[in-house]
Amino acid sequence: MNEKELLKNHITHINRYASEIKREVTLMEICGGHTNVIIRYGIRDILPENIRLISGPGCPVCVTTQHDIDCIVECARHGIPIATYGDMLRVPGNKMSLDEIRGKTGMVFEVYSASEVVELQKKYPDIVFFGIGFETTAPMTAFLLDKKICVYSAHKLIPPALKMLASGDLKVDGFINPGHVSTIIGIQPYTKIRIPQVIAGFSAEQILRSIRILLELIRDKKPIVVNGYPEVVRQQGNKNARLLLKKYFTVVDSEWRGLGVIAKSGLEVKNATLNAKHKYYDTIKNVLPSKKTPCRCGDILRGLIEPTECPLYKKQCTPKNPQGACMVSAEGSCAIYYRYGK
Ligand code: SF4
Ligand code: SF4
């Protein structure tokens, strides 16, 4: 079958299963990379009426809390050199963003890889790495801890969030699981969540295929996990990466933007001397907890509304003047909607 026939075949099966299920079905894609492909190819628009596809908390920048951003901004304001990944710099904190401090002190650094932080440490021995993201990026942060680089960890784990979403008020019938995260954790951690799930790659064909498989599983009432990305994801994941995580991090309860505290969903640095939250406790101890703003990122991350339903969307909030994390990150739902002219 060529690509065109393959896509047609998926759509035919999706329509057939949807009519056989005979009720509303809600599927959630977890990964921001998937949301990007879904919007770009208009996949939501071609699904049968009873199939709803919503975006989940799959962007590392979007789920990082206001409080963590305010803490790292406070460190930067006190002249502590900070390194982190690009999009994070522009997310507005309560007082300012890291980007604004960069303009003032020149001590905030945008990096693309762990090795750049190792290089920076030679010049700035006190550098703090602001570690964000899921199981995909956490092994790189563990590598930095191995090099004795101080870390402020806002790392999060995906399976506990899925478990919480599956048992909440959203009534999700199936998940499209993130491809990159799965290369690290493998398949087993998902099996404890008893709803249909498909691990998907990042092409439109792979996403349509995963929707087709999910609908078949839902129709047949099979709450299992299917690896739809076997060319990259192995049953056991990446054992070395997981050992690194175990060596340098403790699993803790963690607050997610918009989702609240999720039990055992965060990674905290084990070694207190390399943990910026301990080392700079006096600097950040008066930072206030996250406060409520008119930004609806939280509802977007729980799939309760679409970006276009946020009153600030395209008005006060644009990629040039983001009011919340979902408009900052390239993987944030609001930025993706904006980019494709929704
Ligand atoms: S890091 Fe990878 S798996 Fe995670 S949300 Fe981004 S693209 Fe998806
Ligand atoms: S449009 Fe802006 S203000 Fe509204 S939810 Fe998205 S990021 Fe937040």
Side-chain angles (χ1 to χ4, degrees):
M1 238 187 255
N2 65 32
E3 176 87 3
K4 212 166 152 197
E5 288 167 344
L6 200 57
L7 292 175
K8 253 175 110 181
N9 191 269
H10 291 327
I11 294 167
T12 306
H13 279 86
I14 286 171
N15 282 316
R16 198 177 99 206
Y17 298 144
S19 69
E20 286 168 355
I21 294 172
K22 292 193 186 77
R23 66 173 172 88
E24 293 255 312
V25 168
T26 300
L27 308 177
M28 180 183 264
E29 86 272 4
I30 300 304
C31 169
H34 287 157
T35 306
N36 207 336
V37 177
I38 287 165
I39 304 293
R40 176 154 30 118
Y41 290 97
I43 289 179
R44 280 188 189 146
D45 305 334
I46 58 166
L47 293 180
E49 261 186 11
N50 60 329
I51 309 300
R52 196 165 73 111
L53 197 52
I54 58 175
S55 307
C59 166
V61 177
C62 298
V63 295
T64 304
T65 62
Q66 190 74 54
H67 181 255
D68 282 329
I69 294 167
D70 287 341
C71 284
I72 203 75
V73 162
E74 203 54 25
C75 289
R77 267 165 33 98
H78 280 77
I80 299 161
I82 306 293
T84 193
Y85 300 123
D87 284 339
M88 201 66 236
L89 299 183
R90 296 199 303 119
V91 183
N94 236 332
K95 290 187 183 147
M96 56 179 75
S97 67
L98 282 173
D99 215 16
E100 288 167 79
I101 301 174
R102 173 160 65 161
K104 290 192 170 91
T105 67
M107 296 285 270
V108 174
F109 302 95
E110 177 177 353
V111 293
Y112 294 91
S113 67
S115 54
E116 286 177 62
V117 187
V118 176
E119 278 307 305
L120 278 167
Q121 195 213 18
K122 292 180 187 155
K123 196 164 168 205
Y124 305 98
D126 281 342
I127 196 138
V128 170
F129 179 66
F130 185 28
I132 59 155
F134 309 113
E135 291 88 338
T136 340
T137 50
M140 262 94 81
T141 306
F143 165 79
L144 294 179
L145 289 165
D146 193 54
K147 300 274 174 235
K148 306 274 180 278
I149 291 174
C150 186
V151 166
Y152 184 109
S153 172
H155 283 296
K156 314 227 178 286
L157 302 170
I158 284 285
L162 293 197
K163 198 168 161 210
M164 193 277 271
L165 288 165
S167 58
D169 50 2
L170 286 174
K171 310 217 170 3
V172 179
D173 297 285
F175 288 124
I176 300 176
N177 288 356
H180 298 148
V181 166
S182 308
T183 58
I184 306 292
I185 65 176
I187 293 156
Q188 198 271 338
Y190 298 123
T191 57
K192 295 176 192 148
I193 307 156
R194 300 291 295 157
I195 71 169
Q197 298 158 74
V198 178
I199 298 167
F202 293 85
S203 71
E205 189 276 317
Q206 284 166 317
I207 290 181
L208 275 179
R209 188 186 344 139
S210 67
I211 295 171
R212 167 185 174 167
I213 298 170
L214 274 177
L215 293 180
E216 191 178 8
L217 294 175
I218 292 165
R219 183 199 64 181
D220 298 343
K221 298 190 173 48
K222 283 190 185 157
I224 59 167
V225 189
V226 172
N227 183 3
Y229 199 23
E231 56 275 42
V232 173
V233 177
R234 303 270 169 277
Q235 182 76 20
Q236 298 305 325
N238 182 327
K239 200 169 158 220
N240 290 340
R242 277 186 285 112
L243 283 175
L244 259 187
L245 296 186
K246 215 172 162 188
K247 185 167 173 196
Y248 290 104
F249 291 107
T250 312
V251 175
V252 293
D253 297 350
S254 175
E255 189 190 347
W256 296 51
R257 187 189 289 257
L259 300 181
V261 176
I262 303 179
K264 297 185 180 159
S265 70
L267 293 176
E268 197 51 86
V269 176
K270 272 187 186 168
N271 181 338
T273 58
L274 295 178
N275 185 333
K277 292 176 196 169
H278 287 274
K279 192 169 170 191
Y280 298 110
Y281 176 75
D282 284 338
T283 308
I284 60 177
K285 68 180 179 205
N286 293 323
V287 173
L288 298 172
S290 309
K291 71 167 190 195
K292 218 168 159 29
T293 72
C295 164
R296 302 279 305 270
C297 277
D299 292 337
I300 286 167
L301 294 174
R302 287 190 296 146
L304 294 177
I305 64 163
E306 305 230 338
T308 44
E309 293 172 67
C310 168
L312 307 190
Y313 179 73
K314 275 191 172 175
K315 296 184 183 105
Q316 290 97 322
C317 187
T318 62
K320 279 204 172 135
N321 183 29
Q323 302 298 307
C326 295
M327 187 59 96
V328 172
S329 160
E331 288 184 358
S333 294
C334 301
I336 294 171
Y337 268 61
Y338 195 95
R339 195 159 59 244
Y340 294 109
K342 289 269 172 182

